[in-house]
Structures are given as structure tokens and as C-alpha cells.
Amino acid sequence: MNKPIMAKATAVWLADNTTITFKQIADFCGLHELEVQGIADGDVATGVKGFDPIANNQLTQEEIDAAEKDPLHKLQLKFNPAAVGEEKRRGPRYTPLSKRQDRPAAILWLVKFHPELSDGQISKLVGTTKPTIQSIRDRSHWNISNIQPIDPVALGLCKQSELDAAVHKAAAKKASEGEVMSDEERRKLVSTEQSLGADPEPRIPTAISGLETFTLSDKSERDAEDSDVPDADSFFNLPDSAGDDSATEDDD
């Protein structure tokens, strides 16, 4: 249900100038019944000037008369043709003061790990301006040397679902323009929950590459080859006969 403008001032006027119940005023103005009772007693909204809903085209006198006769009657806001189709304007995302210093780190993370995101998408996710994003991109930000990339979800600047939706939208736009995504970019499209739940890919260190095909038969063949090589001690323990022959030759 739509509420009147200056709801508390309207409640003050209705409590002072009509005999309708506190419940009816509370329902119409979006207030609590006890709050309206406090307005009537003078304990709440002290000094607030009443706002006439009839003079300001929010209520009709007939509607007020019907509410005074029937305590169960709910006041209806007067139809305003000028308000048809009017939507609430969406401004930039509000960022609490305690988290505003974290926005450059979140921007750097998005620029580094999701380059497919546009400045407008980053601006909506983090709640910043396009000049700030551009200064992070070209590293002209005054504090760029001290900024470390941090996930905006971890910083509480946006939700994981919002980040995933923005990344998928950017990927769909890129695909519609005919650009081919790399494997690295496709990997980034996986959500955080999915990536944490996935099994790690087995990798073979480059230092021992080639050992993955080593079998027991290969081991036995290598042992046989090693057995054919003479022991080092055999070169120093020569037979006695060889020593006698050499001595005879020397005497001659």
C-alpha cells in the first residue's frame, strides 16, 4: 500500500482534526498504533506541524467521513494520475563509511581477475565512480603502490550471487560479440562455492616428469643391468697368480 508524503505530519493533522481511530491513522501513515497514540497525547512528534492531506490532494473529505463512521474502514490514498508509471530512482550503491577505504582493493581485484567486467558493472558492485576505476586500471591512483587486491565478497561490498551474475552477463555479452573466451576466463565463471567443492586436478612436478610410466618390470630390468657391472672392490683384489707372473718378468 502506498503511503502519504510527510506521513508523521499527516498523522498529526488527522489526530488533531478528525475522530478516526489510532489504528486507522497508523495503517494509513505506515506508523505503529502506539506511536499515533503518543502523537495524540503530545509525547511524540512534538513541534511537528500538521500536514493537511485534503489540501495537498492525498485524501478526500468523503473518505475521512466514511472512516469516522466505520472504525473498520481503511483510508485509501487518493489516486494521482501523475504518479502512474513512475518508478523509484535507483542511485549508486550505498557503502558504509567503515568499508569505503576497502573499495580500491576490491576494484583492483575485479580488474585483475575479471577484466571482462565493464566500468559500469564494477561501479554497481562496489559502489564507486568510473574515474576511480580508471585510475586503478591505468595505475595512476595516488595509493596504487599500497593497494592489494581483495575479493569484494570477502570485504562485504557485494554478494557472491551479484558478482556471479555480473560475470556471466559480461561473458554472454562477450560471446555475442564473437570473441572467444580463453580457458582461464571460463574457469573464472565458476562460482566460489563450486570451485571450493571441486576436486583438485592431479599435477606431475616437472622435476620428475617421465616417472609416471615407471613400472615394476622396468625396475627388474634396471636391477639386472646393474648386476652385470663389476663391483669396485674387484679391481683392487687381483688373483695371486697374476702377481707371481709379474714378479718373474721383473727378474728377467
Side-chain angles (χ1 to χ4, degrees):
M1 179 180 175
N2 295 328
K3 306 300 179 184
I5 60 175
M6 299 182 65
K8 187 168 290 188
T10 301
V12 171
W13 189 92
L14 291 173
D16 293 340
N17 296 277
T18 67
T19 60
I20 59 180
T21 64
F22 297 153
K23 178 101 169 60
Q24 290 172 305
I25 298 175
D27 293 341
F28 177 70
C29 298
L31 303 175
H32 193 277
E33 185 176 354
L34 294 178
E35 189 175 3
V36 177
Q37 183 176 352
I39 291 174
D41 294 339
D43 299 330
V44 179
T46 304
V48 176
K49 184 179 180 180
F51 187 75
D52 188 352
I54 300 176
N56 292 279
N57 204 28
Q58 296 189 94
L59 274 178
T60 62
Q61 185 61 49
E62 291 76 11
E63 186 71 15
I64 293 178
D65 294 340
E68 288 178 336
K69 293 177 182 178
D70 184 8
L72 300 179
H73 179 78
K74 291 187 177 181
L75 292 170
Q76 298 294 327
L77 192 65
K78 187 177 179 180
F79 176 72
N80 184 6
V84 175
E86 183 178 358
E87 298 180 356
K88 183 179 179 180
R89 296 183 178 180
R90 297 182 61 183
R93 180 190 296 271
Y94 173 74
T95 304
L97 292 174
S98 59
K99 296 182 179 180
R100 291 184 182 179
Q101 69 274 11
D102 297 330
R103 285 186 295 192
I107 296 171
L108 183 59
W109 190 91
L110 292 172
V111 169
K112 181 177 180 180
F113 294 102
H114 292 288
E116 69 276 7
L117 293 176
S118 65
D119 290 354
Q121 289 177 308
I122 297 176
S123 178
K124 290 180 180 179
L125 286 172
V126 182
T128 185
T129 60
K130 291 184 178 181
T132 304
I133 300 172
Q134 186 60 36
S135 65
I136 298 293
R137 286 188 185 275
D138 56 23
R139 304 190 67 82
S140 62
H141 192 274
W142 66 273
N143 196 31
I144 191 64
S145 59
N146 298 322
I147 299 176
Q148 298 295 329
I150 304 177
D151 190 342
V153 178
L155 292 173
L157 294 175
C158 68
K159 299 179 181 178
Q160 184 64 50
S161 59
E162 296 173 338
L163 176 58
D164 292 342
V167 171
H168 280 280
K169 185 177 180 180
K173 182 179 179 181
K174 191 174 183 179
S176 64
E177 294 175 353
E179 298 184 20
V180 180
M181 296 181 60
S182 63
D183 294 339
E184 183 67 16
E185 290 176 336
R186 291 183 184 276
R187 183 185 64 80
K188 291 176 182 178
L189 295 180
V190 180
S191 63
T192 303
E193 291 80 1
Q194 293 174 341
S195 62
L196 292 177
D199 295 332
E201 297 181 359
R203 296 183 179 180
I204 300 173
T206 56
I208 58 173
S209 61
L211 295 182
E212 65 275 10
T213 59
F214 184 75
T215 61
L216 292 177
S217 60
D218 297 332
K219 183 178 184 302
S220 61
E221 292 177 359
R222 293 187 181 183
D223 293 341
E225 294 176 358
D226 295 339
S227 63
D228 296 337
V229 178
D231 188 11
D233 295 336
S234 62
F235 289 102
F236 299 97
N237 298 328
L238 297 177
D240 295 337
S241 59
D244 295 341
D245 293 340
S246 61
T248 304
E249 292 176 356
D250 293 338
D251 295 337
D252 294 339

